[in-house]
Amino acid sequence: MHKSVSLPLTNENGYYEIRLESIGGFGANLCGKMLGELGALYLDFNSLSFSSYGSEKRGSPVKAYIRWCEGKRALRINSPVTHPHLLGIFHEGLIGTYPVLEGVSQDTKIVLNTPLSPDDAAEKHRISMGELFCLDALSIAMKCKSRINMVMLGAIAKASGFLPLTMVEQLCLDTIGKKYPALMEANREGLRQGYEAVAPASGERDLSPLPDTPRETFVWGYDNAPIGGVNPRIGSTISNDLSPSREGYIPLFLPEKCINCGLCDSTCPDMVFQFAPGIYKDKECMVNQGVDYYHCKGCLRCVEVCPTNALVMALEKEYPNKPHFISNQHLLPDAIRYQKAGANSWITSDSYLDEKRVDGGVV
């Protein structure tokens, strides 16, 4: 299925460039591959797509790059997209955490997954450049039982101004439909609703940008690269905010049902459960204090393993303060719960009295 489509805008090399900013688990890598196929197989463009990511762990930063040019022009650049014509941001929590808005110009079209209205999102994140489009892709995906990447793909097609929805639907049918036919209808519905739901911000935005957050940057090459290699993107450490990786659900802790068995802590990949000395059944032991949502990525393994249903699946939007239970069973506000300066030493449970965990590791 081919259709004559012309690129609306190109850079000095004649390329139309797209960048997707996401995290592991949201499907941006697949979305980028599909956009690459869309250009090459359906639009008769020369097309290039590739991704940049580390361990592929859920919650780690992911970037996808797509380049298109007219079929008569050679595509000779294979490097990251630094000045995108179209920018897809799969989670607004990435803004301010990573420099996802770098390279944005007045001509850039930005598609942002956020529950906020386009104008509120522009004001909150001080997005003064580019044409901003917003939608609540997470809620749509949960409603349709689709994936966020399909909803974002529909929104990106609409925001582009030149990608036909029918062609993107055919792409999904030819790729996802053949491999996962049972999921095709849900994904197609997510695609359509993403296309229909995305809305632009008003053109009148006189917002001064927020000051840049000081951060250490590295420019490495052959002469100055560290011997042996280094990974500058730290993973699941005490300073890493994993909250953007959640897909609408959180484990809700019900302390009155907890038997302090420690199974939740044993199965948690990011050690978000805190235990402290306390009393359980008139005996001194290590008592579960609940979930540190700053480091929780919403995998819900703890919900599956809990033998007493002391951890249950809940919709995150229904708990805007992301509750954290302490020994007196009061709720702490986010500012107190988020101990970003570092974690105190703690012991997991009475079955692990010989193991002491300090700053995210076992010693």
Side-chain angles (χ1 to χ4, degrees):
M1 180 178 180
H2 298 272
K3 184 173 181 179
S4 178
V5 175
S6 298
L7 292 172
L9 185 69
T10 59
N11 58 21
E12 65 275 8
N13 295 311
Y15 303 150
Y16 184 88
E17 299 184 325
I18 304 172
R19 189 173 79 221
L20 306 181
E21 298 277 0
S22 183
I23 48 182
F26 276 15
N29 183 27
L30 175 60
C31 186
K33 289 179 179 178
M34 293 180 68
L35 285 169
E37 290 187 17
L38 179 69
L41 303 180
Y42 297 79
L43 302 175
D44 289 332
F45 296 151
N46 284 333
S47 178
L48 172 71
S49 68
F50 61 97
S51 298
S52 171
Y53 48 82
S55 64
E56 301 182 64
K57 179 184 176 185
R58 181 176 177 179
S60 60
V62 173
K63 296 176 183 287
Y65 308 108
I66 303 95
R67 279 193 179 89
W68 292 336
C69 69
E70 300 292 347
K72 61 185 178 182
R73 180 184 294 273
L75 209 170
R76 301 185 182 277
I77 295 180
N78 185 9
S79 60
V81 172
T82 56
H83 295 86
H85 298 94
L86 184 57
L87 174 64
I89 303 176
F90 281 53
H91 197 297
E92 67 172 332
L94 293 168
I95 303 176
T97 304
Y98 300 102
V100 296
L101 292 172
E102 280 190 346
V104 169
S105 68
Q106 292 290 1
D107 296 326
T108 304
K109 295 186 176 181
I110 306 169
V111 180
L112 175 62
N113 171 23
T114 174
L116 300 175
S117 70
D119 292 319
D120 289 344
E123 183 176 359
K124 176 182 177 181
H125 300 296
R126 314 304 292 177
I127 302 176
S128 57
M129 299 185 69
E131 188 175 356
L132 178 63
F133 296 81
C134 294
L135 78 162
D136 191 352
L138 179 59
S139 294
I140 294 174
M142 293 172 66
K143 179 181 177 181
C144 299
K145 301 186 185 312
S146 176
R147 294 292 305 278
I148 289 178
N149 56 354
M150 292 297 100
V151 181
M152 287 294 290
L153 181 59
I156 288 169
K158 178 69 172 291
S160 71
F162 69 96
L163 296 178
L165 176 61
T166 54
M167 192 171 293
V168 180
E169 284 184 313
Q170 186 63 42
L171 168 69
C172 293
L173 183 62
D174 294 341
T175 53
I176 297 176
K178 290 182 178 179
K179 193 171 184 179
Y180 305 105
L183 302 177
M184 184 57 218
E185 192 53 42
N187 283 322
R188 180 154 44 181
E189 183 62 24
L191 185 75
R192 292 171 179 168
Q193 290 205 24
Y195 189 91
E196 295 171 359
V198 69
S202 63
E204 300 297 326
R205 282 182 284 143
D206 186 17
L207 302 173
S208 58
L210 294 175
D212 289 336
T213 302
R215 63 180 185 273
E216 192 173 6
T217 58
F218 302 94
V219 179
W220 289 325
Y222 177 80
D223 291 331
N224 64 341
I227 296 176
V230 66
N231 181 9
R233 291 290 192 187
I234 55 177
S236 180
T237 68
I238 201 64
S239 60
N240 193 37
D241 179 5
L242 294 180
S243 60
S245 67
R246 292 196 287 268
E247 298 186 39
Y249 300 99
I250 58 171
L252 189 64
F253 180 50
L254 307 177
E256 66 277 6
K257 294 186 177 182
C258 181
I259 59 175
N260 301 301
C261 64
L263 287 175
C264 56
D265 179 70
S266 298
T267 195
C268 178
D270 296 293
M271 298 187 295
V272 303
F273 290 92
Q274 306 289 307
F275 284 74
I279 303 295
Y280 176 67
K281 290 187 176 180
D282 299 324
K283 295 181 180 180
E284 293 185 359
C285 69
M286 303 304 296
V287 176
N288 195 345
Q289 307 297 294
V291 185
D292 176 3
Y293 290 95
Y294 181 75
H295 298 97
C296 175
K297 61 190 177 187
C299 68
L300 302 181
R301 294 180 188 177
C302 56
V303 173
E304 296 175 4
V305 78
C306 182
T308 62
N309 293 323
L311 288 155
V312 296
M313 182 176 69
L315 294 178
E316 184 173 7
K317 65 181 181 180
E318 295 180 357
Y319 297 89
N321 292 326
K322 303 177 184 64
H324 175 63
F325 287 90
I326 57 175
S327 56
N328 58 7
Q329 300 185 16
H330 289 296
L331 297 180
L332 287 176
D334 285 357
I336 299 176
R337 180 176 51 76
Y338 287 174
Q339 299 177 0
K340 293 186 178 182
N344 295 323
S345 303
W346 52 280
I347 302 175
T348 56
S349 72
D350 54 343
S351 63
Y352 294 96
L353 289 178
D354 294 331
E355 293 184 2
K356 187 176 182 182
R357 301 195 176 187
V358 181
D359 297 332
V362 179
V363 297

